[in-house]
């Protein structure tokens, strides 16, 4: 088991444990980081019995369609949303999800601009 000693880690864990309906998205024109992160976190949260919607504005590039779970990614969410997680996106304007009416609850990214 991973030990979480950082207060931010604990806060994120608690938020994820409390949310039931989660939307995960990434940037437009997705690359391997984006697609892999989206599917990896999405499937992990589904295993934790969460209602997860993996959403991307663009179609998945054919290069990544071999990944288990690629067929679960949609272009629009279709059920209640309690939490939005944005992955691999250093600029909210590059999001693959219309975030204008909804703020991001958790942002996980490695870009220096974020």
């Amino acid at each position: 088991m991973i030990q979480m000693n950082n207060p931010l880690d604990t806060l994120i864990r608690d938020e994820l444990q409390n949310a039931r309906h989660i939307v995960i998205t990434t940037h437009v024109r997705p690359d391997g980081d984006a697609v892999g992160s989206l599917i990896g976190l999405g499937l992990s949260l589904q295993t934790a019995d969460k209602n997860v919607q993996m959403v991307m504005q663009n179609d998945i590039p054919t290069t990544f369609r071999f990944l288990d779970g690629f067929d679960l990614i949609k272009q629009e969410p279709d059920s209640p949303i309690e939490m939005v997680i944005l992955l691999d996106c250093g600029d909210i304007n590059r999001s693959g999800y219309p975030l204008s009416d909804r703020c991001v609850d958790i942002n996980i990214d490695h870009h220096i601009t974020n």
Side-chain angles (χ1 to χ4, degrees):
M1 174 176 260
I2 296 173
Q3 190 112 22
M4 297 178 115
N5 296 320
N6 181 327
L8 184 59
D9 293 343
T10 302
L11 177 65
I12 291 170
R13 182 197 61 213
D14 292 347
E15 290 294 318
L16 287 171
Q17 285 178 341
N18 292 328
R20 299 286 310 139
H21 303 281
I22 302 170
V23 167
I24 306 172
T25 191
T26 189
H27 58 78
V28 295
R29 295 181 305 283
D31 56 7
D33 284 359
V35 176
S37 298
L38 183 67
I39 293 172
L41 183 59
L43 293 177
S44 295
L45 289 173
Q46 285 180 349
T47 300
D49 204 27
K50 303 295 179 181
N51 177 350
V52 177
Q53 297 180 75
M54 294 178 263
V55 178
M56 249 184 344
Q57 185 178 42
N58 300 107
D59 287 334
I60 298 175
T62 55
T63 309
F64 306 116
R65 292 188 182 180
F66 71 93
L67 294 169
D68 289 341
F70 88 88
D71 55 326
L72 300 174
I73 298 174
K74 355 181 217 184
Q75 290 185 319
E76 297 277 331
D78 62 8
S79 67
I81 301 168
E82 290 177 64
M83 174 183 283
V84 174
I85 301 173
L86 180 60
L87 301 175
D88 191 46
C89 189
D91 182 345
I92 193 109
N93 296 321
R94 288 201 66 221
S95 167
Y97 174 74
L99 294 168
S100 58
D101 61 341
R102 174 75 196 193
C103 66
V104 172
D105 297 294
I106 297 175
N107 179 267
I108 302 171
D109 179 53
H110 63 98
H111 296 94
I112 196 164
T113 56
N114 193 348

